[in-house]
Amino acid sequence: MLHFTKSFYLLVLVCFIFFGCKKDDEIVPKNIVTYDGTEFELSSGLILYFGQLSSSQVNAQVLFLYSSGIKIHESGGKIDSTSGIGHTVYFEIFSPTSTILGDGEYTFDPYFTYKEKTFNNSYTVFNANYSTSQGEFHEIMSGKVIVKKDGNDYTITFDCKEDLAGKQLTGFYKGALKVYDEK
């Protein structure tokens, strides 16, 4: 009986070691933009690369995130048109790197100095209807965008304020960003 009890306790100990030390799953937030307490889904994103500004070493890019109802149509590797109904977030962003959005924190520049790691002329549109050109437009007037790239995936978080009532506009996106060379 003593041998059975020792074997049983050893088996229980081994089970605790193997099953008690399971790896914690990484919790990834949803791809969303939140405005005034309401969440709007984001499903895709792209970068429009416009090239290096002639006055500096900074690269002009557009970061465009959008929901599943928005469709991007291509012709010859360029964006031909956009259709559908959904939600969009648009940032004109000035990166130190070309064709890819460089890692780091980008801050809103209300003076349009086009300095490295800044953004300006940015907005979001909720319920954007590309057939009727209607939607709920909010211009971004302050904030920051944080970019991290890992392989082909980007992790983008933003915390901004819009123009009319100064309401908070926050968001998270993790996924690939298709790059279009527009220069």
Side-chain angles (χ1 to χ4, degrees), residues 77-105:
K78 304 273 186 191
I79 294 178
D80 177 64
S81 62
T82 309
S83 65
I85 298 173
H87 318 294
T88 65
V89 183
Y90 176 98
F91 294 102
E92 282 188 8
I93 202 159
F94 302 100
S95 176
T97 58
S98 63
T99 66
I100 62 165
L101 193 53
D103 285 358
E105 183 175 309

Side-chain angles (χ1 to χ4, degrees), residues 117-150:
K117 296 215 174 171
T118 64
F119 69 97
N120 59 37
N121 197 28
S122 300
Y123 58 86
T124 186
V125 182
F126 301 114
N127 301 309
N129 185 328
Y130 281 86
S131 296
T132 63
S133 297
Q134 294 180 339
E136 185 182 324
F137 179 88
H138 298 275
E139 186 176 9
I140 295 170
M141 299 303 290
S142 66
K144 64 182 175 182
V145 177
I146 299 171
V147 176
K148 293 180 184 166
K149 187 171 190 295
D150 184 19

Side-chain angles (χ1 to χ4, degrees), residues 10-28:
L10 183 61
L11 179 63
V12 169
L13 180 64
V14 169
C15 287
F16 276 127
I17 290 172
F18 284 111
F19 297 112
C21 295
K22 86 172 193 181
K23 184 179 177 185
D24 293 336
D25 292 331
E26 179 184 356
I27 297 173
V28 178

